[in-house]
Amino acid sequence: MAIDPSFPIKITAFEWVPEFAQGQVRDLRVRWALEEVGQRYEVQYLALGEHKQPPHRARHPFGQVPTYQDNEVTLFESGSIVLHIAERFGGLLPDDRAARARAIQWMFAALNTIEPPLMDYSIVTLFEAGKPWSEPRRPAVEARIHERLGELSQRLGDRQWLDGDGFTAGDLLMVTVLRIVEGKGLVERYDNLAAYMARGIARPGFKKALADQLSGFAQTPPPEASAWMEKQQQGE
């Protein structure tokens, strides 16, 4: 999306990632939030390794993406960025004070309660799949996932969204978190959660954000990609 000269917003994203990561990098959450609130933005793409260099670390001390810059603030961490967007622009947080607090509560629940076991699944099945400890850990990881997803399913019940009929920033983050294991038979075990996730990814804002993220990736890996991938697999 082209930058809006009247209110410049810039985010950072990776120029290239392996195919399995495309559509999952966390700048997608920020792009979706900006689409939902109708704000244009510019993307600064980082070449492989550039995210660990001093210019980017000045924006993000841990050398990751995304970051967000507007005419007031520079932020890192996708959750904090989505909260900033939701608070600054209308559409992702209710006006009612109590409902607003509940929506923010669900943002924290998505990132702090649901995401960690789902990321553990990615570690044992993908990032460390070849390690001798990964397969023995998998049953315990899946048990933790189903404990959390079962609790989430029970709470969601037959609601359209987490706090009723209105889509909020809490739903935005929860849907992106559930997508970490989309198609793995985990979320799909719970009919209401599968339907909930499907409602989220059917929103026009999500579709536009995903299409823009995917179209921004370089399709040809850079020359140093093989060495970088090997280091990642070794945990370096």
Side-chain angles (χ1 to χ4, degrees):
M1 218 177 221
I3 194 168
D4 182 346
S6 67
F7 193 85
I9 296 174
K10 179 182 289 185
I11 70 170
T12 52
F14 289 131
E15 185 177 73
W16 174 88
V17 295
E19 186 175 355
F20 68 78
Q22 296 182 17
Q24 292 287 353
V25 186
R26 288 179 173 86
D27 62 280
L28 178 64
R29 302 170 180 183
V30 177
R31 293 174 186 260
W32 187 8
L34 289 167
E35 293 293 342
E36 290 286 344
V37 300
Q39 292 298 310
R40 296 181 178 181
Y41 61 95
E42 180 182 48
V43 182
Q44 178 181 349
Y45 288 99
L46 303 176
L48 188 62
E50 191 177 356
H51 59 298
K52 298 297 186 182
Q53 299 304 311
H56 184 64
R57 284 192 184 273
R59 294 183 292 256
H60 197 312
F62 306 111
Q64 300 174 319
V65 300
T67 60
Y68 168 102
Q69 294 172 269
D70 60 25
N71 60 359
E72 291 187 349
V73 67
T74 298
L75 296 172
F76 62 93
E77 291 295 332
S78 60
S80 70
I81 296 169
V82 171
L83 179 57
H84 173 73
I85 292 168
E87 290 183 326
R88 180 146 195 180
F89 308 105
L92 283 174
L93 288 176
D95 293 330
D96 176 78
R97 186 172 177 177
R100 188 182 189 93
R102 290 194 300 270
I104 294 172
Q105 161 190 266
W106 281 114
M107 296 177 70
F108 281 87
L111 301 180
N112 293 345
T113 302
I114 303 299
E115 186 169 32
L118 299 189
M119 285 304 301
D120 281 347
Y121 181 85
S122 294
I123 290 171
V124 301
T125 62
L126 182 61
F127 298 110
E128 296 183 355
K131 303 296 184 180
W133 58 79
S134 291
E135 194 58 31
R137 284 190 60 219
R138 183 168 176 169
V141 169
E142 292 188 0
R144 286 196 297 272
I145 288 172
H146 285 300
E147 179 182 8
R148 291 304 186 209
L149 293 185
E151 292 164 339
L152 181 62
S153 173
Q154 184 175 8
R155 182 59 178 264
L156 178 65
D158 59 2
R159 299 182 183 90
Q160 290 289 298
W161 304 110
L162 289 170
D163 198 43
D165 295 329
F167 178 84
T168 73
D171 296 296
L172 186 151
L173 288 180
M174 188 66 77
V175 169
T176 59
V177 165
L178 294 177
R179 284 189 67 250
I180 293 170
V181 293
E182 183 181 8
K184 305 299 183 183
L186 298 169
V187 177
E188 292 80 5
R189 184 179 297 188
Y190 307 88
D191 291 342
N192 64 338
L193 291 185
Y196 168 74
M197 182 171 62
R199 281 192 293 275
I201 64 180
R203 292 179 69 86
F206 176 84
K207 291 181 177 180
K208 181 66 165 59
L210 180 61
D212 285 349
Q213 187 192 64
L214 294 176
S215 68
F217 289 124
Q219 296 307 305
T220 302
E224 62 272 27
S226 296
W228 179 82
M229 287 289 291
E230 184 176 348
K231 286 185 178 180
Q232 298 306 303
Q233 291 170 354
Q234 293 173 355
E236 298 181 18

